[in-house]
Amino acid sequence: MFKAKKKYEVRTAGDPVLAKSAAPVGLVTPEIIQLADDMLQSMDAFDGIGLAAPQYGVSLRMIVIDVPLYEGEEETLTPFEKQMFANMPMALLDPEITARSGEVTEREEGCLSVPEIYAPVVRPARIAFRARLLDGSLIEGECGGLLGRCLQHEIDHLDGFLFTDRLSPDAANRIAGQMKRLVEFGMKNNFRRIKRK
Ligand code: ZN
């Protein structure tokens, strides 16, 4: 007997749910725990390192992350960052950035909602943030590197922003044609990217 393949969906650029400010999660109900599990599975199916609930079609302030730790990076991590990596993959509820470093870094970004399009984005090098976990506990601390960038990218989704909204005019021009085709393709496909796994 073959196991039926499961169907995973991610919304793509142009879907109105990606441009909305998402609502707070509030109480952790069984439905919220189920949503986190579904999002973690989708992120994994699409080989992502982060996914925000609006990308899953749900306008709630929840993100899931699974940021890889690079060889040699561990020595540079703060105790809080180490604790974050030890808990991957993880779901964060109502995440909030409470401070941003003045120092910025530039790095190429991509997004499951903007497939096959990449461009450099300038963001604060470090952020302080707080969030709740599924067990109701609070976490609060500072993150930099790819983890800090991933958190900023995912929290942007909760406020209706894509990384393509944060580009220099030059970079925005460079991907304008690709973005137009992506949105046109989305209009014909209900803004859904589907994967069976
Ligand atoms: Zn994204």
Side-chain angles (χ1 to χ4, degrees):
M1 277 289 278
F2 291 104
K3 225 178 118 192
K5 283 188 174 177
K6 220 180 145 182
K7 183 180 161 191
Y8 301 94
E9 276 187 13
V10 167
R11 303 300 175 95
T12 57
D15 191 314
V17 74
L18 292 175
K20 278 207 314 197
S21 184
V25 170
L27 271 184
V28 181
T29 59
E31 289 75 22
I32 290 297
I33 292 171
Q34 184 62 51
L35 173 63
D37 193 46
D38 292 342
M39 285 171 57
L40 284 162
Q41 285 189 43
S42 263
M43 173 175 65
D44 190 48
F46 282 94
D47 296 317
I49 64 167
L51 185 74
Q55 295 180 277
Y56 194 70
V58 179
S59 194
L60 282 177
R61 304 188 79 83
M62 187 196 301
I63 64 173
V64 293
I65 56 170
D66 191 11
V67 180
L69 186 58
Y70 294 107
E71 215 177 296
E73 197 186 353
E74 187 151 13
E75 293 102 78
T76 68
L77 298 179
T78 64
F80 178 74
E81 287 168 331
K82 275 188 190 154
Q83 187 200 326
M84 289 286 290
F85 278 104
N87 283 321
M88 302 276 177
M90 69 197 300
L92 299 170
L93 315 183
D94 298 325
E96 226 183 304
I97 295 175
T98 53
R100 294 169 172 83
S101 65
E103 186 202 339
V104 295
T105 57
E106 185 181 68
R107 186 170 181 154
E108 192 110 314
E109 289 189 23
C111 178
L112 294 181
S113 296
V114 189
E116 287 163 41
I117 301 176
Y118 302 90
V121 183
V122 176
R123 296 191 189 269
R126 297 188 71 77
I127 55 156
F129 86 102
R130 63 170 165 245
R132 285 184 302 138
L133 304 180
L134 285 172
D135 66 6
S137 60
L138 276 172
I139 58 164
E140 186 160 17
E142 278 184 42
C143 290
L146 181 59
L147 174 56
R149 177 168 291 267
C150 178
L151 287 166
Q152 294 179 69
H153 175 120
E154 299 309 331
I155 293 170
D156 260 358
H157 277 301
L158 307 182
D159 295 318
F161 294 107
L162 298 176
F163 80 91
T164 51
D165 299 318
R166 301 237 179 259
L167 303 181
S168 68
D170 266 5
N173 270 332
R174 231 180 303 132
I175 64 156
Q178 286 173 286
M179 281 304 285
K180 190 167 167 274
R181 284 193 292 280
L182 173 62
V183 173
E184 283 168 358
F185 184 80
M187 286 194 281
K188 291 184 200 128
N189 293 279
N190 221 359
F191 299 107
R192 278 160 172 84
R193 230 184 125 184
I194 292 167
K195 186 163 263 181
R196 288 184 172 83
K197 229 178 167 176

